[in-house]
Amino acid sequence: MYTMGIDIGSASSKVVILKDGNDIVAGEVIQFGTGSSGPQRALEAAFEKSGLSFADMTKVVATGYGRFSVEQADKQISEISCHAKGIHFMVPTARTIIDIGGQDAKAIKLDKRGTVSQFFMNDKCAAGTGRFLEVMSRVLEVPLDQMAEYDSRATEVVSVSSTCTVFAESEVISHLSNEIPKENIIAGVHASVASKACGLAYRTGLEEDIVMSGGVAQNAGVVRAISRELQKNVIVAPNPQIIGALGAALFAYDEAMKAQ
Amino acid sequence: MSELEGMTAKQKLAYYQEKMYQDALDGKAKGELVCWSSSIAPCEFCEVMGIHMIYPENHAAAVGAKHGALAMIELAERRGYSLDICSYARINLAYMDLLVEEAKTGVTPKELEECPGPRIPLPDVIITCNNICNTLLKWYENLAVELNIPYIIIDVPYVHHWPIPEYTKEYIADQFEYAIKQLEDLCGKPFDRQKFIEVQEQCQRSVNAWDRAMGMACTVPSPLNGFDMFNFMALIVCARAKYAAEDTFNTLADELEAKAARGEDAFKGGEKFRIAWEGIACWPYLSHTYKSLKSLGCNMVGSTYPGAWSIHYTVGNMKEMGAGYCKMYSNTCLDHKVDVISDVLTSTSSTGITYHLNRSCKLMSFLNVETAEIVKERTGVPYVSFDGDQTDPRNFSPAQFDTRVQALAEIMEQNKK
Ligand SMILES: Nc1ncnc2c1ncn2[C@@H]1O[C@H](COP(=O)(O)OP(=O)(O)OP(=O)(O)O)[C@@H](O)[C@H]1O
Ligand code: SF4
Ligand SMILES: [Mg+2]
């Protein structure tokens, strides 16, 4: 039996196809989110990879900001529950999740069954999110996937203190014009994202294991900064960006079993 | 009275609200006095004096609910008011400016013409009580200074300890007497103490009818939907001293009792979850927030807000009346707030709660971060917080709200198991 999870976020679209609630036969990411061609392209990629089609899917669950735009979905479930479900599947010992996506950062507290007991999300503000990193990557002229590498060479963490993304951008520009090495500025940018995420994470009580999901978890610089700030070990979920879609596919499997 | 016969509570609400605004406009035209009052200041004194009452917070909420807030807010900001100031204040200060301009020039400014909220007359006197917040003090002072009219302040001390000490009650009672003196000077006539007793009695009857109607939300499933609670609140604010409030709330309570007796709930059998809402409504998004919760089967049955006007006191006792206005929930310490919210959750059998982190209302929002955690610890009831604003439409994101409340519903569902 095949089930599908679709996570249409603000920054990217993710599709996971699951066989018998256990094997990931496709886990595709397109870096365009809700309102773009991303969802369609992610679906096409998943179908191509698996050789399957919608007709093969017993159930489909959609999540993310664009969850109500998926016609084929049998059910919509919030990203909070989906990330919890996906993480519990990948890392059963997880008790705290930090998910940083394009526009949302969340900290989720799990109980032993892997269900959500409380969650905290960022304010209506782009500070501490993936978009913030995207803006910084542009002014620094360092691609997102190289930010971690720069960070690892930093000799000092330069302060980037403005909460406002626009002001932080001009802070970074002035650091650049003062000829501060990009490595050190990037470490500062990561520390700034980390401090926002940790503000949410602290409120969960920080029970271990602490696991990260979402696109930003692919940035080892942010992960290091979070770990440093919390003074705790932080595990990055395997393939962190598809965790929400994986959770959705697992819920779809539960739905299919219920229907039987 | 015949006009009112057979009217539903909703019809009465609309009828009385419109009548009050019209009476104030007509009265003003005839040279009668109009007072602008903060929403939980004592209304009893002006009622005795026959002064028409207008409540700027309430009026601003109505402007917001009818999607007229942004035009007023932008006008206020253009005149230099910071966007960090409470949006009720920004709306009202802009509105006052427009009324003044109209009075001076005889021409109705375009923004006033187009404002979808009810028309209100300019005031002759201002009354504020700082039992809600201290923003009010400066906002209303600003009105009084700009219009050069008397400003009556009732200063109530913050309640750190229970019971409310005698000296606090005496302090407030003395201010009541001074307010009476100020009104006597303004009106040029003595304060009628017999009428005062009658007005106090009316207030108590209105409050009892309000409690009776709002208490119906405790019935499981609830015949009352909490967003109606927000709507009916207009009359407990504006007409506590009038039969209008008592009449409407008793009609509402009768309707709800009949509905409950028939086993009906507010969602036609669709009440899946019962939740509480802490903080002011998002007026510009009232319908969005209502529909979003309804689509999840969440009936908002609990709110601390209606209780704020449940002001009981012994008629004829100035000190008790002072205490009544002092113990308003936002004028009390964190521990008491936690008690009040926990009681709301228990009495309404709510299994979830949403906290509105209201950008306008620092007093409620800043405390709620802490309050939420203590209430969760004490009751085990899960919560979500969302960013918003009672009337500034720029500070609320519908999609973020939807995600948060859906996750709350999922937690409540899982807690059922
Ligand atoms: N290869 C990469 N290396 C580093 N960071 C990356 C990489 N790919 C994506 N990101 C980061 O991940 C972010 C997107 O994360 P994700 O896909 O989880 O967001 P989303 O689910 O669409 O957003 P949201 O959940 O907030 O709606 C981007 O903004 C970017 O900062
Ligand atoms: S700050 Fe809050 S309590 Fe004060 S007037 Fe504004 S909304 Fe009301
Ligand atoms: Mg996401």
Side-chain angles (χ1 to χ4, degrees):
Chain A
M1 185 208 317
Y2 294 102
T3 57
M4 176 185 274
I6 310 178
D7 176 2
I8 305 178
S10 61
S12 72
S13 305
K14 287 80 68 179
V15 172
V16 165
I17 297 176
L18 205 58
K19 187 174 177 227
D20 299 328
N22 206 26
D23 301 325
I24 299 173
V25 293
E28 305 304 309
V29 181
I30 299 287
Q31 305 294 358
F32 290 95
T34 182
S36 71
S37 63
Q40 193 51 40
R41 284 159 60 197
L43 280 168
E44 281 161 13
F47 287 140
E48 195 177 335
K49 173 91 169 272
S50 61
L52 299 165
S53 75
F54 265 125
D56 301 306
M57 300 302 132
T58 310
K59 289 280 177 193
V60 177
V61 167
T63 187
Y65 274 106
R67 65 192 178 283
F68 294 108
S69 65
V70 185
E71 255 171 62
Q72 293 85 354
D74 297 293
K75 197 174 180 180
Q76 288 83 22
I77 295 179
S78 76
E79 296 107 276
I80 294 97
S81 298
C82 287
H83 276 270
K85 186 92 171 167
I87 288 286
H88 184 66
F89 179 81
M90 286 288 196
V91 190
T93 50
R95 293 293 174 268
T96 305
I97 302 173
I98 300 173
D99 163 42
I100 310 181
Q103 82 176 33
D104 275 336
K106 356 180 162 37
I108 306 169
K109 182 181 165 72
L110 298 181
D111 61 20
K112 288 186 182 57
R113 300 172 295 167
T115 52
V116 180
S117 70
Q118 188 69 52
F119 69 93
F120 302 93
M121 281 172 89
N122 61 315
D123 303 335
K124 191 171 163 278
C125 170
T129 65
R131 285 274 183 242
F132 179 87
L133 289 167
E134 289 178 31
V135 169
M136 297 311 156
S137 124
R138 212 169 312 132
V139 282
L140 287 155
E141 298 179 89
V142 173
L144 270 179
D145 56 7
Q146 290 173 30
M147 302 260 289
E149 202 186 308
Y150 273 71
D151 177 293
S152 69
R153 292 196 301 265
T155 52
E156 199 189 327
V157 181
V158 170
S159 152
V160 177
S161 58
S162 294
T163 306
C164 168
T165 305
V166 176
F167 288 154
E169 188 179 356
S170 56
E171 227 181 313
V172 166
I173 292 169
S174 84
H175 286 326
L176 284 172
S177 59
N178 289 332
E179 291 177 15
I180 295 176
K182 281 187 184 172
E183 286 77 0
N184 295 358
I185 304 175
I186 287 174
V189 165
H190 290 162
S192 147
V193 169
S195 101
K196 270 270 177 182
C198 294
L200 300 170
Y202 279 123
R203 297 175 64 189
T204 62
L206 282 183
E207 203 184 323
E208 289 180 283
D209 290 342
I210 302 168
V211 184
M212 278 190 72
S213 63
V216 174
Q218 297 170 114
N219 181 332
V222 174
V223 179
R224 269 196 303 275
I226 289 178
S227 179
R228 198 166 51 222
E229 162 85 35
L230 299 178
Q231 298 187 5
K232 300 233 186 221
N233 184 37
V234 173
I235 301 168
V236 176
N239 208 346
Q241 206 168 6
I242 65 159
I243 290 294
L246 171 64
L250 287 162
F251 276 122
Y253 179 74
D254 289 352
E255 287 291 307
M257 295 308 281
K258 247 194 279 173
Q260 275 180 6
Chain B
M1 270 299 136
S2 64
E3 222 180 320
L4 287 155
E5 231 165 79
M7 270 196 196
T8 63
K10 238 180 195 141
Q11 288 165 333
K12 284 186 180 176
L13 171 69
Y15 170 86
Y16 282 126
Q17 266 183 297
E18 200 189 308
K19 183 171 184 317
M20 270 183 314
Y21 282 120
Q22 198 53 50
D23 287 352
L25 287 165
D26 295 346
K28 179 81 180 182
K30 283 187 287 186
E32 291 164 9
L33 297 180
V34 173
C35 171
W36 282 12
S37 165
S38 65
S39 62
I40 320 187
C43 53
E44 289 84 344
F45 311 125
C46 285
E47 184 67 26
V48 171
M49 286 306 208
I51 298 174
H52 297 280
M53 301 296 277
I54 295 287
Y55 295 86
E57 289 126 271
N58 210 263
H59 178 255
V63 170
K66 293 192 153 81
H67 306 289
L70 198 55
M72 294 298 133
I73 285 172
E74 282 173 351
L75 201 66
E77 286 169 10
R78 237 179 287 152
R79 299 193 177 185
Y81 292 108
S82 159
L83 64 94
D84 288 329
I85 300 173
C86 167
S87 57
Y88 280 168
R90 276 175 288 156
I91 290 172
N92 180 248
L93 290 164
Y95 201 92
M96 176 207 60
D97 276 351
L98 293 172
L99 288 176
V100 169
E101 191 182 323
E102 183 189 48
K104 275 187 186 152
T105 62
V107 183
T108 306
K110 193 171 130 289
E111 293 92 337
L112 191 55
E113 188 84 57
E114 289 171 358
C115 181
R119 272 303 295 262
I120 55 174
L122 277 167
D124 304 286
V125 56
I126 302 285
I127 285 195
T128 308
C129 178
N130 62 349
N131 53 357
I132 323 181
C133 77
N134 284 317
T135 297
L136 288 164
L137 283 180
K138 280 292 156 191
W139 160 16
Y140 282 67
E141 181 185 339
N142 203 5
L143 292 171
V145 170
E146 294 232 6
L147 298 169
N148 193 21
I149 55 176
Y151 183 23
I152 298 174
I153 303 174
I154 308 292
D155 172 42
V156 298
Y158 194 80
V159 182
H160 296 276
H161 303 288
W162 299 89
I164 296 172
E166 274 307 297
Y167 56 79
T168 294
K169 296 183 193 172
E170 278 162 20
Y171 173 66
I172 301 169
D174 281 352
Q175 290 180 74
F176 284 170
E177 290 298 346
Y178 181 56
I180 290 171
K181 166 83 173 51
Q182 284 171 289
L183 288 173
E184 284 177 332
D185 291 347
L186 178 73
C187 300
K189 65 176 181 190
F191 186 74
D192 182 339
R193 299 271 164 179
Q194 183 48 42
K195 189 159 180 216
F196 183 40
I197 296 292
E198 288 159 23
V199 167
Q200 287 185 312
E201 283 168 351
Q202 179 59 64
C203 284
Q204 293 306 297
R205 285 196 302 273
S206 298
V207 164
N208 287 332
W210 172 246
D211 288 349
R212 190 185 149 218
M214 294 305 114
M216 290 307 294
C218 296
T219 314
V220 183
S222 167
L224 175 67
N225 110 51
F227 285 79
D228 278 343
M229 198 158 19
F230 284 151
N231 288 324
F232 278 98
M233 223 159 60
L235 277 187
I236 193 68
V237 176
C238 306
R240 228 166 32 253
K242 295 186 195 300
Y243 173 69
E246 179 190 353
D247 182 28
T248 307
F249 301 143
N250 276 329
T251 304
L252 177 61
D254 291 344
E255 287 171 8
L256 295 173
E257 275 171 11
K259 216 165 154 182
R262 291 194 301 270
E264 292 173 18
D265 71 40
F267 288 176
K268 300 200 167 66
E271 181 183 291
K272 238 175 114 188
F273 304 110
R274 300 167 62 81
I275 65 159
W277 174 296
E278 166 56 8
I280 309 178
C282 288
W283 298 110
Y285 298 94
L286 201 61
S287 141
H288 179 90
T289 46
Y290 169 65
K291 286 184 190 144
S292 174
L293 288 169
K294 190 176 178 202
S295 73
L296 298 163
C298 293
N299 190 7
M300 191 270 283
V301 290
S303 167
T304 53
Y305 218 45
W309 285 271
S310 181
I311 301 161
H312 297 272
Y313 52 78
T314 314
V315 171
N317 184 330
M318 230 27 156
K319 287 202 296 186
E320 286 308 314
M321 181 176 153
Y325 279 98
C326 187
K327 64 185 173 218
M328 152 66 193
Y329 143 88
S330 59
N331 194 49
T332 62
C333 60
L334 186 64
D335 291 341
H336 182 246
K337 283 196 175 89
V338 169
D339 289 344
V340 171
I341 298 177
S342 304
D343 284 351
V344 165
L345 292 177
T346 327
S347 65
T348 59
S349 319
S350 291
T351 59
I353 172 166
T354 64
Y355 289 87
H356 177 188
L357 292 187
N358 184 341
R359 291 286 159 135
S360 269
C361 194
K362 281 74 181 168
L363 177 88
M364 295 209 203
S365 299
F366 289 171
L367 272 170
N368 272 350
V369 177
E370 188 66 17
T371 313
E373 279 175 28
I374 309 176
V375 170
K376 167 88 200 282
E377 224 165 84
R378 189 184 293 181
T379 62
V381 173
Y383 71 93
V384 282
S385 298
F386 64 93
D387 272 21
D389 192 291
Q390 80 257 7
T391 36
D392 190 334
R394 301 166 301 186
N395 293 337
F396 176 83
S397 156
Q400 284 199 334
F401 175 82
D402 294 350
T403 301
R404 285 157 168 79
V405 294
Q406 184 172 18
L408 178 67
E410 288 160 5
I411 297 175
M412 290 191 288
E413 176 70 42
Q414 148 212 305
N415 286 350
K416 271 186 182 174
K417 290 176 187 160

